[in-house]
Amino acid sequence: RRLWLQGNHVHDGGYVMPGAVGIWQGYAASISLVSNHVHDLPYTGISVGWQWNDAPSSVRNNRIMLNHIHDVMKRLGDGGGIYMLGRQPGTIVTSNRIHAVHRSKYNHGAPNNGLYFDMGSSKIRAKNNVIFDTAHTPVRFHARGGINVAVIDNILVPDAGQAAGWM
């Protein structure tokens, strides 16, 4: 059975708790996040997974697709348009449009990226996404704990002096 979160407009949150994520999915399986419009947030737009290693967990078979994410990371660092964490067999991130991922004057730490595969991210496919206008690289892989992610047929537009991806 699949749970759908579809067609929502999530915006202007995080005023009291700036670490709030627009759409957050921790240890869930078979969730579809489809056609949501997420914008104007101090931190990450969509976050899936909640485990900082590659050990098996309940997170699997999720679909993050057709979302429009912009004007995120306006206050904090170490996040992005879509943030993935931990092993997620069968999960696919596809056909999302991510742009205007900021780096605020308050953030002096880790970079902010369009699509961010943090520690332990594995068994995930990212395809047909369009990512541009990001404070750092369009895609980031934080390799500690192992990365096994397929990034296929995406349109990644780095700013001048940036690479398309960074590890």
PDB file of all heavy atoms in Angstrom, residues 31-64:
ATOM      1  N   ILE A  31       6.141   5.837   0.357  1.00  0.00           N
ATOM      2  CA  ILE A  31       5.497   7.151   0.367  1.00  0.00           C
ATOM      3  C   ILE A  31       5.763   7.813  -0.979  1.00  0.00           C
ATOM      4  O   ILE A  31       6.867   7.756  -1.498  1.00  0.00           O
ATOM      5  CB  ILE A  31       6.069   8.041   1.491  1.00  0.00           C
ATOM      6  CG1 ILE A  31       5.958   7.362   2.861  1.00  0.00           C
ATOM      7  CG2 ILE A  31       5.416   9.415   1.491  1.00  0.00           C
ATOM      8  CD1 ILE A  31       4.565   7.193   3.374  1.00  0.00           C
ATOM      9  N   SER A  32       4.761   8.463  -1.544  1.00  0.00           N
ATOM     10  CA  SER A  32       4.922   9.230  -2.777  1.00  0.00           C
ATOM     11  C   SER A  32       4.706  10.698  -2.463  1.00  0.00           C
ATOM     12  O   SER A  32       3.624  11.089  -2.016  1.00  0.00           O
ATOM     13  CB  SER A  32       3.923   8.773  -3.839  1.00  0.00           C
ATOM     14  OG  SER A  32       4.267   7.482  -4.289  1.00  0.00           O
ATOM     15  N   LEU A  33       5.747  11.500  -2.690  1.00  0.00           N
ATOM     16  CA  LEU A  33       5.669  12.952  -2.551  1.00  0.00           C
ATOM     17  C   LEU A  33       5.639  13.504  -3.969  1.00  0.00           C
ATOM     18  O   LEU A  33       6.663  13.555  -4.641  1.00  0.00           O
ATOM     19  CB  LEU A  33       6.879  13.475  -1.784  1.00  0.00           C
ATOM     20  CG  LEU A  33       7.141  12.826  -0.419  1.00  0.00           C
ATOM     21  CD1 LEU A  33       8.426  13.362   0.191  1.00  0.00           C
ATOM     22  CD2 LEU A  33       5.962  13.029   0.506  1.00  0.00           C
ATOM     23  N   VAL A  34       4.468  13.905  -4.443  1.00  0.00           N
ATOM     24  CA  VAL A  34       4.261  14.193  -5.865  1.00  0.00           C
ATOM     25  C   VAL A  34       3.614  15.566  -6.069  1.00  0.00           C
ATOM     26  O   VAL A  34       2.618  15.896  -5.414  1.00  0.00           O
ATOM     27  CB  VAL A  34       3.356  13.103  -6.504  1.00  0.00           C
ATOM     28  CG1 VAL A  34       3.125  13.377  -7.972  1.00  0.00           C
ATOM     29  CG2 VAL A  34       3.934  11.724  -6.289  1.00  0.00           C
ATOM     30  N   SER A  35       4.183  16.329  -6.987  1.00  0.00           N
ATOM     31  CA  SER A  35       3.600  17.602  -7.451  1.00  0.00           C
ATOM     32  C   SER A  35       3.336  18.586  -6.322  1.00  0.00           C
ATOM     33  O   SER A  35       2.313  19.269  -6.305  1.00  0.00           O
ATOM     34  CB  SER A  35       2.306  17.354  -8.240  1.00  0.00           C
ATOM     35  OG  SER A  35       2.581  16.594  -9.388  1.00  0.00           O
ATOM     36  N   ASN A  36       4.261  18.674  -5.378  1.00  0.00           N
ATOM     37  CA  ASN A  36       4.154  19.648  -4.308  1.00  0.00           C
ATOM     38  C   ASN A  36       4.959  20.893  -4.675  1.00  0.00           C
ATOM     39  O   ASN A  36       5.983  20.798  -5.339  1.00  0.00           O
ATOM     40  CB  ASN A  36       4.657  19.046  -2.999  1.00  0.00           C
ATOM     41  CG  ASN A  36       3.817  17.862  -2.580  1.00  0.00           C
ATOM     42  OD1 ASN A  36       2.673  18.025  -2.191  1.00  0.00           O
ATOM     43  ND2 ASN A  36       4.368  16.669  -2.701  1.00  0.00           N
ATOM     44  N   HIS A  37       4.510  22.043  -4.249  1.00  0.00           N
ATOM     45  CA  HIS A  37       5.223  23.301  -4.457  1.00  0.00           C
ATOM     46  C   HIS A  37       5.749  23.731  -3.087  1.00  0.00           C
ATOM     47  O   HIS A  37       4.964  24.039  -2.184  1.00  0.00           O
ATOM     48  CB  HIS A  37       4.272  24.340  -5.040  1.00  0.00           C
ATOM     49  CG  HIS A  37       4.936  25.631  -5.391  1.00  0.00           C
ATOM     50  ND1 HIS A  37       4.234  26.739  -5.762  1.00  0.00           N
ATOM     51  CD2 HIS A  37       6.251  26.004  -5.438  1.00  0.00           C
ATOM     52  CE1 HIS A  37       5.064  27.732  -6.020  1.00  0.00           C
ATOM     53  NE2 HIS A  37       6.295  27.307  -5.815  1.00  0.00           N
ATOM     54  N   VAL A  38       7.075  23.728  -2.926  1.00  0.00           N
ATOM     55  CA  VAL A  38       7.724  23.984  -1.639  1.00  0.00           C
ATOM     56  C   VAL A  38       8.683  25.153  -1.820  1.00  0.00           C
ATOM     57  O   VAL A  38       9.586  25.091  -2.653  1.00  0.00           O
ATOM     58  CB  VAL A  38       8.482  22.726  -1.147  1.00  0.00           C
ATOM     59  CG1 VAL A  38       9.136  22.984   0.187  1.00  0.00           C
ATOM     60  CG2 VAL A  38       7.543  21.520  -1.069  1.00  0.00           C
ATOM     61  N   HIS A  39       8.496  26.221  -1.018  1.00  0.00           N
ATOM     62  CA  HIS A  39       9.360  27.391  -1.198  1.00  0.00           C
ATOM     63  C   HIS A  39       9.355  28.309   0.016  1.00  0.00           C
ATOM     64  O   HIS A  39       8.531  28.173   0.918  1.00  0.00           O
ATOM     65  CB  HIS A  39       8.948  28.168  -2.454  1.00  0.00           C
ATOM     66  CG  HIS A  39       7.573  28.761  -2.396  1.00  0.00           C
ATOM     67  ND1 HIS A  39       7.343  30.053  -2.010  1.00  0.00           N
ATOM     68  CD2 HIS A  39       6.366  28.220  -2.670  1.00  0.00           C
ATOM     69  CE1 HIS A  39       6.051  30.302  -2.060  1.00  0.00           C
ATOM     70  NE2 HIS A  39       5.432  29.206  -2.456  1.00  0.00           N
ATOM     71  N   ASP A  40      10.310  29.237  -0.002  1.00  0.00           N
ATOM     72  CA  ASP A  40      10.470  30.269   1.019  1.00  0.00           C
ATOM     73  C   ASP A  40      10.579  29.680   2.424  1.00  0.00           C
ATOM     74  O   ASP A  40       9.730  29.900   3.285  1.00  0.00           O
ATOM     75  CB  ASP A  40       9.345  31.311   0.930  1.00  0.00           C
ATOM     76  CG  ASP A  40       9.532  32.182  -0.300  1.00  0.00           C
ATOM     77  OD1 ASP A  40      10.568  32.869  -0.363  1.00  0.00           O
ATOM     78  OD2 ASP A  40       8.671  32.147  -1.196  1.00  0.00           O
ATOM     79  N   LEU A  41      11.686  28.931   2.611  1.00  0.00           N
ATOM     80  CA  LEU A  41      11.954  28.273   3.891  1.00  0.00           C
ATOM     81  C   LEU A  41      13.380  28.579   4.354  1.00  0.00           C
ATOM     82  O   LEU A  41      14.283  28.732   3.530  1.00  0.00           O
ATOM     83  CB  LEU A  41      11.784  26.759   3.747  1.00  0.00           C
ATOM     84  CG  LEU A  41      10.389  26.271   3.355  1.00  0.00           C
ATOM     85  CD1 LEU A  41      10.417  24.804   3.011  1.00  0.00           C
ATOM     86  CD2 LEU A  41       9.400  26.551   4.474  1.00  0.00           C
ATOM     87  N   PRO A  42      13.607  28.595   5.671  1.00  0.00           N
ATOM     88  CA  PRO A  42      14.960  28.839   6.173  1.00  0.00           C
ATOM     89  C   PRO A  42      15.879  27.626   6.040  1.00  0.00           C
ATOM     90  O   PRO A  42      17.099  27.751   6.117  1.00  0.00           O
ATOM     91  CB  PRO A  42      14.738  29.183   7.644  1.00  0.00           C
ATOM     92  CG  PRO A  42      13.450  28.518   8.002  1.00  0.00           C
ATOM     93  CD  PRO A  42      12.620  28.529   6.739  1.00  0.00           C
ATOM     94  N   TYR A  43      15.304  26.444   5.839  1.00  0.00           N
ATOM     95  CA  TYR A  43      16.094  25.229   5.753  1.00  0.00           C
ATOM     96  C   TYR A  43      15.641  24.418   4.537  1.00  0.00           C
ATOM     97  O   TYR A  43      15.148  24.941   3.552  1.00  0.00           O
ATOM     98  CB  TYR A  43      15.979  24.451   7.072  1.00  0.00           C
ATOM     99  CG  TYR A  43      16.925  23.279   7.209  1.00  0.00           C
ATOM    100  CD1 TYR A  43      18.288  23.428   6.944  1.00  0.00           C
ATOM    101  CD2 TYR A  43      16.460  22.037   7.586  1.00  0.00           C
ATOM    102  CE1 TYR A  43      19.159  22.346   7.053  1.00  0.00           C
ATOM    103  CE2 TYR A  43      17.320  20.960   7.704  1.00  0.00           C
ATOM    104  CZ  TYR A  43      18.660  21.119   7.437  1.00  0.00           C
ATOM    105  OH  TYR A  43      19.505  20.050   7.534  1.00  0.00           O
ATOM    106  N   THR A  44      15.774  23.118   4.581  1.00  0.00           N
ATOM    107  CA  THR A  44      15.560  22.201   3.465  1.00  0.00           C
ATOM    108  C   THR A  44      14.096  22.147   3.016  1.00  0.00           C
ATOM    109  O   THR A  44      13.181  22.214   3.835  1.00  0.00           O
ATOM    110  CB  THR A  44      16.053  20.801   3.889  1.00  0.00           C
ATOM    111  OG1 THR A  44      17.469  20.851   4.005  1.00  0.00           O
ATOM    112  CG2 THR A  44      15.662  19.722   2.925  1.00  0.00           C
ATOM    113  N   GLY A  45      13.907  21.934   1.692  1.00  0.00           N
ATOM    114  CA  GLY A  45      12.560  21.816   1.130  1.00  0.00           C
ATOM    115  C   GLY A  45      11.909  20.477   1.451  1.00  0.00           C
ATOM    116  O   GLY A  45      10.860  20.413   2.080  1.00  0.00           O
ATOM    117  N   ILE A  46      12.531  19.367   1.003  1.00  0.00           N
ATOM    118  CA  ILE A  46      12.026  18.010   1.252  1.00  0.00           C
ATOM    119  C   ILE A  46      13.178  17.180   1.797  1.00  0.00           C
ATOM    120  O   ILE A  46      14.271  17.187   1.241  1.00  0.00           O
ATOM    121  CB  ILE A  46      11.473  17.358  -0.036  1.00  0.00           C
ATOM    122  CG1 ILE A  46      10.233  18.112  -0.531  1.00  0.00           C
ATOM    123  CG2 ILE A  46      11.151  15.879   0.198  1.00  0.00           C
ATOM    124  CD1 ILE A  46       9.673  17.595  -1.859  1.00  0.00           C
ATOM    125  N   SER A  47      12.928  16.439   2.866  1.00  0.00           N
ATOM    126  CA  SER A  47      13.940  15.577   3.481  1.00  0.00           C
ATOM    127  C   SER A  47      13.381  14.171   3.639  1.00  0.00           C
ATOM    128  O   SER A  47      12.283  13.993   4.170  1.00  0.00           O
ATOM    129  CB  SER A  47      14.332  16.133   4.860  1.00  0.00           C
ATOM    130  OG  SER A  47      15.324  15.336   5.455  1.00  0.00           O
ATOM    131  N   VAL A  48      14.146  13.171   3.156  1.00  0.00           N
ATOM    132  CA  VAL A  48      13.700  11.773   3.231  1.00  0.00           C
ATOM    133  C   VAL A  48      14.820  10.926   3.836  1.00  0.00           C
ATOM    134  O   VAL A  48      15.947  10.929   3.349  1.00  0.00           O
ATOM    135  CB  VAL A  48      13.319  11.233   1.838  1.00  0.00           C
ATOM    136  CG1 VAL A  48      12.896   9.772   1.925  1.00  0.00           C
ATOM    137  CG2 VAL A  48      12.203  12.074   1.223  1.00  0.00           C
ATOM    138  N   GLY A  49      14.499  10.181   4.883  1.00  0.00           N
ATOM    139  CA  GLY A  49      15.464   9.330   5.577  1.00  0.00           C
ATOM    140  C   GLY A  49      15.915   9.967   6.876  1.00  0.00           C
ATOM    141  O   GLY A  49      15.831  11.182   7.061  1.00  0.00           O
ATOM    142  N   TRP A  50      16.411   9.116   7.803  1.00  0.00           N
ATOM    143  CA  TRP A  50      16.798   9.639   9.107  1.00  0.00           C
ATOM    144  C   TRP A  50      17.830   8.724   9.764  1.00  0.00           C
ATOM    145  O   TRP A  50      17.711   8.345  10.916  1.00  0.00           O
ATOM    146  CB  TRP A  50      15.563   9.805   9.990  1.00  0.00           C
ATOM    147  CG  TRP A  50      15.791  10.613  11.213  1.00  0.00           C
ATOM    148  CD1 TRP A  50      15.687  10.194  12.512  1.00  0.00           C
ATOM    149  CD2 TRP A  50      16.154  11.999  11.285  1.00  0.00           C
ATOM    150  NE1 TRP A  50      15.963  11.216  13.371  1.00  0.00           N
ATOM    151  CE2 TRP A  50      16.258  12.346  12.639  1.00  0.00           C
ATOM    152  CE3 TRP A  50      16.421  12.977  10.324  1.00  0.00           C
ATOM    153  CZ2 TRP A  50      16.592  13.621  13.065  1.00  0.00           C
ATOM    154  CZ3 TRP A  50      16.760  14.235  10.757  1.00  0.00           C
ATOM    155  CH2 TRP A  50      16.831  14.546  12.107  1.00  0.00           C
ATOM    156  N   GLN A  51      18.825   8.335   8.984  1.00  0.00           N
ATOM    157  CA  GLN A  51      19.846   7.433   9.518  1.00  0.00           C
ATOM    158  C   GLN A  51      21.179   7.769   8.864  1.00  0.00           C
ATOM    159  O   GLN A  51      21.300   7.744   7.653  1.00  0.00           O
ATOM    160  CB  GLN A  51      19.456   5.987   9.210  1.00  0.00           C
ATOM    161  CG  GLN A  51      20.411   4.986   9.787  1.00  0.00           C
ATOM    162  CD  GLN A  51      19.788   3.612   9.784  1.00  0.00           C
ATOM    163  OE1 GLN A  51      18.691   3.428  10.294  1.00  0.00           O
ATOM    164  NE2 GLN A  51      20.478   2.658   9.225  1.00  0.00           N
ATOM    165  N   TRP A  52      22.183   8.075   9.671  1.00  0.00           N
ATOM    166  CA  TRP A  52      23.464   8.563   9.172  1.00  0.00           C
ATOM    167  C   TRP A  52      24.449   7.442   8.861  1.00  0.00           C
ATOM    168  O   TRP A  52      25.638   7.560   9.112  1.00  0.00           O
ATOM    169  CB  TRP A  52      24.090   9.536  10.163  1.00  0.00           C
ATOM    170  CG  TRP A  52      23.464  10.887  10.127  1.00  0.00           C
ATOM    171  CD1 TRP A  52      23.898  11.954   9.409  1.00  0.00           C
ATOM    172  CD2 TRP A  52      22.309  11.332  10.818  1.00  0.00           C
ATOM    173  NE1 TRP A  52      23.081  13.029   9.611  1.00  0.00           N
ATOM    174  CE2 TRP A  52      22.089  12.672  10.475  1.00  0.00           C
ATOM    175  CE3 TRP A  52      21.408  10.714  11.692  1.00  0.00           C
ATOM    176  CZ2 TRP A  52      21.027  13.410  10.979  1.00  0.00           C
ATOM    177  CZ3 TRP A  52      20.364  11.451  12.192  1.00  0.00           C
ATOM    178  CH2 TRP A  52      20.186  12.783  11.827  1.00  0.00           C
ATOM    179  N   ASN A  53      23.971   6.344   8.305  1.00  0.00           N
ATOM    180  CA  ASN A  53      24.854   5.258   7.858  1.00  0.00           C
ATOM    181  C   ASN A  53      24.115   4.423   6.822  1.00  0.00           C
ATOM    182  O   ASN A  53      22.966   4.691   6.502  1.00  0.00           O
ATOM    183  CB  ASN A  53      25.333   4.411   9.045  1.00  0.00           C
ATOM    184  CG  ASN A  53      24.185   3.769   9.791  1.00  0.00           C
ATOM    185  OD1 ASN A  53      23.306   3.149   9.216  1.00  0.00           O
ATOM    186  ND2 ASN A  53      24.182   3.920  11.110  1.00  0.00           N
ATOM    187  N   ASP A  54      24.817   3.399   6.315  1.00  0.00           N
ATOM    188  CA  ASP A  54      24.268   2.564   5.241  1.00  0.00           C
ATOM    189  C   ASP A  54      23.627   1.277   5.774  1.00  0.00           C
ATOM    190  O   ASP A  54      23.397   0.343   5.033  1.00  0.00           O
ATOM    191  CB  ASP A  54      25.393   2.243   4.234  1.00  0.00           C
ATOM    192  CG  ASP A  54      24.871   1.524   3.005  1.00  0.00           C
ATOM    193  OD1 ASP A  54      23.733   1.789   2.595  1.00  0.00           O
ATOM    194  OD2 ASP A  54      25.599   0.680   2.472  1.00  0.00           O
ATOM    195  N   ALA A  55      23.325   1.220   7.055  1.00  0.00           N
ATOM    196  CA  ALA A  55      22.695   0.020   7.621  1.00  0.00           C
ATOM    197  C   ALA A  55      21.239  -0.077   7.149  1.00  0.00           C
ATOM    198  O   ALA A  55      20.578   0.943   6.943  1.00  0.00           O
ATOM    199  CB  ALA A  55      22.740   0.065   9.142  1.00  0.00           C
ATOM    200  N   PRO A  56      20.734  -1.294   6.977  1.00  0.00           N
ATOM    201  CA  PRO A  56      19.326  -1.454   6.570  1.00  0.00           C
ATOM    202  C   PRO A  56      18.375  -0.810   7.589  1.00  0.00           C
ATOM    203  O   PRO A  56      18.624  -0.818   8.785  1.00  0.00           O
ATOM    204  CB  PRO A  56      19.135  -2.968   6.541  1.00  0.00           C
ATOM    205  CG  PRO A  56      20.504  -3.522   6.345  1.00  0.00           C
ATOM    206  CD  PRO A  56      21.428  -2.579   7.067  1.00  0.00           C
ATOM    207  N   SER A  57      17.294  -0.241   7.073  1.00  0.00           N
ATOM    208  CA  SER A  57      16.250   0.329   7.918  1.00  0.00           C
ATOM    209  C   SER A  57      14.913   0.137   7.201  1.00  0.00           C
ATOM    210  O   SER A  57      14.849  -0.493   6.156  1.00  0.00           O
ATOM    211  CB  SER A  57      16.516   1.818   8.173  1.00  0.00           C
ATOM    212  OG  SER A  57      16.208   2.578   7.026  1.00  0.00           O
ATOM    213  N   SER A  58      13.881   0.722   7.732  1.00  0.00           N
ATOM    214  CA  SER A  58      12.551   0.585   7.125  1.00  0.00           C
ATOM    215  C   SER A  58      12.349   1.519   5.932  1.00  0.00           C
ATOM    216  O   SER A  58      11.357   1.402   5.222  1.00  0.00           O
ATOM    217  CB  SER A  58      11.480   0.874   8.179  1.00  0.00           C
ATOM    218  OG  SER A  58      11.643   2.186   8.689  1.00  0.00           O
ATOM    219  N   VAL A  59      13.266   2.445   5.677  1.00  0.00           N
ATOM    220  CA  VAL A  59      13.102   3.422   4.592  1.00  0.00           C
ATOM    221  C   VAL A  59      13.368   2.739   3.257  1.00  0.00           C
ATOM    222  O   VAL A  59      14.465   2.252   3.002  1.00  0.00           O
ATOM    223  CB  VAL A  59      14.049   4.627   4.784  1.00  0.00           C
ATOM    224  CG1 VAL A  59      13.813   5.655   3.690  1.00  0.00           C
ATOM    225  CG2 VAL A  59      13.843   5.247   6.147  1.00  0.00           C
ATOM    226  N   ARG A  60      12.347   2.728   2.386  1.00  0.00           N
ATOM    227  CA  ARG A  60      12.491   2.067   1.081  1.00  0.00           C
ATOM    228  C   ARG A  60      11.308   2.402   0.177  1.00  0.00           C
ATOM    229  O   ARG A  60      10.251   2.796   0.644  1.00  0.00           O
ATOM    230  CB  ARG A  60      12.597   0.554   1.246  1.00  0.00           C
ATOM    231  CG  ARG A  60      11.362  -0.114   1.822  1.00  0.00           C
ATOM    232  CD  ARG A  60      11.569  -1.599   2.125  1.00  0.00           C
ATOM    233  NE  ARG A  60      12.532  -1.774   3.183  1.00  0.00           N
ATOM    234  CZ  ARG A  60      13.782  -2.273   3.022  1.00  0.00           C
ATOM    235  NH1 ARG A  60      14.175  -2.674   1.845  1.00  0.00           N
ATOM    236  NH2 ARG A  60      14.605  -2.383   4.036  1.00  0.00           N
ATOM    237  N   ASN A  61      11.533   2.229  -1.112  1.00  0.00           N
ATOM    238  CA  ASN A  61      10.464   2.321  -2.124  1.00  0.00           C
ATOM    239  C   ASN A  61       9.674   3.624  -2.085  1.00  0.00           C
ATOM    240  O   ASN A  61       8.461   3.637  -2.301  1.00  0.00           O
ATOM    241  CB  ASN A  61       9.498   1.130  -1.992  1.00  0.00           C
ATOM    242  CG  ASN A  61      10.215  -0.177  -2.197  1.00  0.00           C
ATOM    243  OD1 ASN A  61      11.110  -0.282  -3.027  1.00  0.00           O
ATOM    244  ND2 ASN A  61       9.856  -1.173  -1.414  1.00  0.00           N
ATOM    245  N   ASN A  62      10.360   4.730  -1.825  1.00  0.00           N
ATOM    246  CA  ASN A  62       9.701   6.028  -1.816  1.00  0.00           C
ATOM    247  C   ASN A  62       9.841   6.691  -3.182  1.00  0.00           C
ATOM    248  O   ASN A  62      10.759   6.392  -3.937  1.00  0.00           O
ATOM    249  CB  ASN A  62      10.287   6.909  -0.714  1.00  0.00           C
ATOM    250  CG  ASN A  62       9.975   6.329   0.651  1.00  0.00           C
ATOM    251  OD1 ASN A  62       8.823   6.135   0.995  1.00  0.00           O
ATOM    252  ND2 ASN A  62      11.001   6.025   1.423  1.00  0.00           N
ATOM    253  N   ARG A  63       8.912   7.582  -3.499  1.00  0.00           N
ATOM    254  CA  ARG A  63       8.919   8.316  -4.757  1.00  0.00           C
ATOM    255  C   ARG A  63       8.848   9.803  -4.438  1.00  0.00           C
ATOM    256  O   ARG A  63       7.890  10.255  -3.814  1.00  0.00           O
ATOM    257  CB  ARG A  63       7.711   7.950  -5.627  1.00  0.00           C
ATOM    258  CG  ARG A  63       7.569   6.473  -5.909  1.00  0.00           C
ATOM    259  CD  ARG A  63       8.587   6.024  -6.954  1.00  0.00           C
ATOM    260  NE  ARG A  63       8.465   4.613  -7.251  1.00  0.00           N
ATOM    261  CZ  ARG A  63       9.212   3.662  -6.715  1.00  0.00           C
ATOM    262  NH1 ARG A  63      10.131   3.952  -5.828  1.00  0.00           N
ATOM    263  NH2 ARG A  63       9.054   2.403  -7.060  1.00  0.00           N
ATOM    264  N   ILE A  64       9.855  10.548  -4.874  1.00  0.00           N
ATOM    265  CA  ILE A  64       9.867  11.997  -4.734  1.00  0.00           C
ATOM    266  C   ILE A  64       9.881  12.523  -6.158  1.00  0.00           C
ATOM    267  O   ILE A  64      10.907  12.466  -6.828  1.00  0.00           O
ATOM    268  CB  ILE A  64      11.088  12.486  -3.916  1.00  0.00           C
ATOM    269  CG1 ILE A  64      11.110  11.843  -2.518  1.00  0.00           C
ATOM    270  CG2 ILE A  64      11.072  13.997  -3.785  1.00  0.00           C
ATOM    271  CD1 ILE A  64      11.897  10.611  -2.423  1.00  0.00           C
TER     272      ILE A  64
END
